[in-house]
Amino acid sequence: GRHSMLPRQVQRLGRDCIAHWNGSQILTLNSPVSSCMRWAGHYPWASFPLPVPVDFSANWRLPPFFGPWRQFQNSNWQLDNIMQSSCFHLPNPSMKPEREEPLTKRRRVIGQCDTSTPEEEINFPDQKETLCHSVAQNEGKCSSKEGTIKRHWEYFCQHSRTMKMKDFENKESDRSNTESEAKFDFTVMSYNILSQNLLEDNSHLYKHCRQRLLIWTYRFPNILQEIKQLDADVLCLQEVQEDHYRTEIKSSLESLGYHCEYKMRTGRKPDGCAICFKTSKFSLISSNPVEFFRHDIPLLDRDNVGLVLLLQPRLHCKTNAAICIANTHLLYNPRRGDIKLTQLAMLLAEIANVAPQKDGTFCPIIICGDFNSVPGSPLYRFIKEGKLNYEGLAIGKVSGQEQFPRGQRILSIPIWPKKLGISQNCVYEMKQQQKEENAGEKLEAAKQDNTQEVVIASEKSSSKLQHHFKLSSVYSHYFPESGIPEVTTCHSRSAVTVDYIFYSAANDDTDVQAGAEDSFHGGLKLLGRLALLTEKDLWTVNGLPNENNSSDHLPLLAEFRLIER
């Protein structure tokens, strides 16, 4: 017949398909068909010029005989505009598949809600601000055009205490404030740029991507363009590969006016964390790398690192003003919450060592990074609330990455051994002792008292972690009008929030926590942020990485005002 050159399975296609459908579902092919059909599982796209069903929903499947036919599974098929024809069309290699989420990647995200409501005035739980929408119908939503997603700038009005949506390209910072305060506005970005080495080691996470989009020579110009466009005053970058940093990243950023500090991981993984700041805005007071690996402590056998900088603002500020910027990438393993909490405690201890001012208060603090923990998890709550009682807490539940974590091993008390030199208040033991001595406590007497009651009391209190930074989150993590989660990373396995910017809020900021005035002099006021997206938004451009966004994470960006009294 007409298709004698095709395999017998294809020749029988029309008969077998018609047998699966009733006559009422047959369409005449007098006009193009724009919808796409999926193969069972995550197979390439296929053009299908035979009678087709009326319902082109994602639940429709081809007849069963197509599943095991490996010749079709490995072909790069694509749906064309189908006219009156009954022949298969093999697309040429330059044809691109539709930008749609692979079927196997449509999964439920923890806490995601599928409901949505019309835009209205709402309250953010974190910022306690009112969201005001523009008259424009699509204002405040992401927009997708020709494979790109436009994110919007959200800014906080100083006097009306409202937050309005605005395109980032047209962002204008609110410069008004009381004359009694010294003002210094600056922006901070946190961005996991996806190390090429880690990308290649975890290629199963990027099956939805075309291979040419995963090459470093394609990815780096995109990443650099994002950095140029967002134009942050401070960059906190994670997964910065050492050889790429040395040969092109550092020099490229220096040409944009940045000074760069870098800390490479201590193990075999050749990436690390970098903090880069514009020399026109800041000068460097000190750079303090933090290594989470300790060869003498079995618990700390991972090579993650952190970096803590103390910066001096250059413009319109008192000479003693300083800002502490920290950056880290905590361990990924969802079942090792004990290591994650210990790494976090080590970072907080270094911040507590760097941030104190002469009057005993802390300078303003910003902590950025990939914490490999989701909003609302015990680790997240510890950062925001400053306390955590981990007695009876399962190790696999610390980060909240797994909805049903495997294994229920309980965190030991204490989590880390005393020889680490960090107290349960997340400060270095020497600093803790000095503070207690200054408060008039008799340390020597306490050391000599070895009664059983003292030992038991110590054991009971050791299950409570504390820190004294009174931190707020720049982002709210959910879209208030719908309850749908914001997403900071999206690949073949998951779409969740794991990246954060935490900051010490000024006393008059709406998100300041009770007691902050006891620890901070002045602080930071959040002026605006670059809006995040939903998982659905990202799959409209085939997830991450894609043609225009070359990491599997989104950059986070916030604008702050340094306030001194």
Side-chain angles (χ1 to χ4, degrees):
R2 186 172 174 181
H3 306 292
S4 58
M5 297 300 293
L6 294 175
R8 181 170 301 175
Q9 293 95 325
V10 180
Q11 297 178 37
R12 299 203 315 265
L13 177 61
R15 181 177 69 252
D16 290 347
C17 287
I18 292 172
H20 281 78
W21 304 323
N22 33 42
S24 62
Q25 292 178 301
I26 301 299
L27 288 177
T28 59
L29 300 180
N30 294 323
S31 60
V33 178
S34 60
S35 300
C36 296
M37 294 179 293
R38 297 186 186 278
W39 299 57
H42 177 30
Y43 297 131
W45 300 93
S47 52
F48 193 75
L50 291 171
V52 291
V54 172
D55 181 12
F56 273 86
S57 68
N59 295 324
W60 183 83
R61 298 291 182 272
L62 288 177
F65 64 79
F66 271 87
W69 191 13
R70 201 165 297 278
Q71 180 179 353
F72 273 82
Q73 294 180 29
N74 296 329
S75 300
N76 185 22
W77 292 77
Q78 184 178 4
L79 184 66
D80 251 357
N81 285 341
I82 303 169
M83 306 300 292
Q84 275 188 308
S85 171
S86 58
C87 62
F88 272 81
H89 172 64
L90 292 173
N92 61 55
S94 65
M95 297 180 69
K96 299 177 181 179
E98 292 283 340
R99 288 186 168 276
E100 189 174 345
E101 175 198 355
L103 180 64
T104 55
K105 311 309 177 248
R106 289 184 174 175
R107 60 185 70 246
R108 177 178 178 272
V109 180
I110 296 175
Q112 178 162 337
C113 175
D114 294 330
T115 62
S116 61
T117 58
E119 293 183 10
E120 57 186 0
E121 186 172 276
I122 51 84
N123 291 321
F124 276 82
D126 228 28
Q127 273 69 35
K128 302 183 181 67
E129 301 278 7
T130 303
L131 183 61
C132 300
H133 297 280
S134 169
V135 175
Q137 183 176 3
N138 293 324
E139 187 70 7
K141 296 181 178 179
C142 81
S143 56
S144 177
K145 183 179 180 182
E146 296 181 356
T148 63
I149 286 185
K150 178 187 290 186
R151 296 169 64 186
H152 296 86
W153 185 260
E154 304 173 339
Y155 68 96
F156 295 86
C157 300
Q158 172 67 19
H159 297 295
S160 62
R161 302 308 240 172
T162 61
M163 186 176 70
K164 298 182 180 179
M165 309 295 299
K166 196 168 188 178
D167 287 347
F168 177 76
E169 292 81 7
N170 299 323
K171 175 177 70 74
E172 295 180 359
S173 299
D174 175 22
R175 304 292 179 182
S176 63
N177 207 336
T178 59
E179 295 181 356
S180 62
E181 297 172 346
K183 296 178 294 186
F184 178 78
D185 296 353
F186 63 101
T187 54
V188 177
M189 175 195 292
S190 181
Y191 194 9
N192 183 327
I193 64 172
L194 181 57
S195 157
Q196 189 67 23
N197 182 271
L198 291 176
L199 183 155
E200 294 169 1
D201 287 349
N202 298 277
S203 58
H204 61 283
L205 299 179
Y206 312 106
K207 292 180 180 179
H208 61 287
C209 303
R210 287 174 295 183
Q211 288 302 308
R212 73 176 184 87
L213 305 183
L214 300 179
I215 302 172
W216 177 248
T217 53
Y218 181 91
R219 294 177 55 231
F220 179 60
N222 273 357
I223 292 170
L224 188 61
Q225 180 59 32
E226 276 188 294
I227 292 174
K228 286 181 180 179
Q229 180 183 357
L230 298 178
D231 193 32
D233 298 315
V234 180
L235 307 175
C236 291
L237 306 178
Q238 304 90 41
E239 291 193 21
V240 180
Q241 193 162 307
E242 192 275 336
D243 57 336
H244 293 155
Y245 174 78
R246 180 170 26 88
T247 58
E248 53 188 334
I249 295 176
K250 182 180 180 182
S251 59
S252 297
L253 294 179
E254 286 176 342
S255 70
L256 298 177
Y258 291 97
H259 171 85
C260 302
E261 294 289 324
Y262 178 71
K263 175 57 183 174
M264 182 178 169
R265 289 167 71 173
T266 52
R268 292 176 292 178
K269 297 292 177 62
D271 68 280
C273 294
I275 301 180
C276 313
F277 59 89
K278 285 188 176 179
T279 55
S280 60
K281 298 278 285 190
F282 298 97
S283 60
L284 180 65
I285 298 176
S286 66
S287 179
N288 309 273
V290 185
E291 297 181 355
F292 298 145
F293 175 82
R294 287 282 297 266
H295 69 276
D296 58 333
I297 299 178
L299 174 68
L300 296 174
D301 60 350
R302 309 304 167 96
D303 54 17
N304 306 81
V305 295
L307 185 60
V308 182
L309 265 56
L310 194 62
L311 301 180
Q312 176 84 50
R314 286 191 182 275
L315 302 174
H316 310 301
C317 273
K318 299 177 183 178
T319 55
N320 62 350
I323 300 174
C324 180
I325 308 286
N327 183 24
T328 192
H329 188 179
L330 299 185
L331 177 71
Y332 166 76
N333 192 334
R335 294 178 293 280
R336 291 309 304 267
D338 51 345
I339 298 178
K340 292 175 190 274
L341 282 173
T342 306
Q343 290 179 346
L344 177 60
M346 295 172 74
L347 180 71
L348 295 174
E350 185 61 29
I351 295 172
N353 190 49
V354 170
Q357 301 180 113
K358 292 181 180 179
D359 61 0
T361 62
F362 292 117
C363 70
I365 295 168
I366 297 174
I367 306 178
C368 299
D370 181 344
F371 290 81
N372 276 312
S373 301
V374 302
S377 65
L379 186 142
Y380 173 88
R381 294 200 311 270
F382 173 53
I383 295 174
K384 282 206 61 182
E385 298 173 6
K387 58 185 178 181
L388 175 67
N389 187 347
Y390 60 86
E391 184 176 5
L393 179 60
I395 285 180
K397 294 183 178 180
V398 169
S399 65
Q401 291 164 283
E402 294 181 337
Q403 190 174 14
F404 304 104
R406 288 174 286 177
Q408 294 296 318
R409 187 160 64 92
I410 303 301
L411 287 168
S412 61
I413 302 177
I415 299 175
W416 56 82
K418 188 172 180 62
K419 66 179 177 180
L420 179 60
I422 294 177
S423 73
Q424 299 294 292
N425 291 327
C426 296
V427 297
Y428 294 126
E429 290 283 4
M430 189 62 64
K431 291 282 185 181
Q432 179 74 13
Q433 290 177 5
Q434 292 175 355
K435 187 174 181 180
E436 291 174 351
E437 287 173 353
N438 292 338
E441 294 187 17
K442 306 292 185 179
L443 290 181
E444 293 300 324
K447 290 179 180 178
Q448 295 174 2
D449 187 359
N450 294 320
T451 64
Q452 184 177 4
E453 289 77 14
V454 171
V455 173
I456 293 175
S458 175
E459 289 176 350
K460 286 183 178 180
S461 63
S462 66
S463 67
K464 297 180 181 179
L465 297 180
Q466 289 184 335
H467 70 77
H468 302 288
F469 297 135
K470 315 297 182 185
L471 300 170
S472 302
S473 173
V474 164
Y475 288 91
S476 302
H477 314 311
Y478 294 90
F479 290 93
E481 66 271 19
S482 64
I484 296 177
E486 297 173 337
V487 165
T488 68
T489 181
C490 179
H491 51 64
S492 296
R493 289 282 181 92
S494 67
V496 293
T497 286
V498 294
D499 307 278
Y500 303 93
I501 301 177
F502 297 104
Y503 70 103
S504 52
N507 294 344
D508 63 344
D509 191 90
T510 53
D511 196 32
V512 69
Q513 299 182 30
E517 63 277 5
D518 299 329
S519 301
F520 291 90
H521 180 72
L524 298 170
K525 181 169 186 63
L526 179 63
L527 298 181
R529 64 191 178 195
L530 185 60
L532 287 171
L533 305 171
T534 68
E535 179 185 11
K536 182 179 179 180
D537 294 334
L538 289 172
W539 281 120
T540 64
V541 290
N542 202 38
L544 297 173
N546 57 54
E547 190 168 344
N548 298 288
N549 309 96
S550 288
S551 174
D552 58 350
H553 292 248
L554 292 173
L556 279 59
L557 182 66
E559 183 174 18
F560 298 100
R561 172 166 293 161
L562 175 63
I563 297 176
E564 286 199 316
R565 298 296 183 182

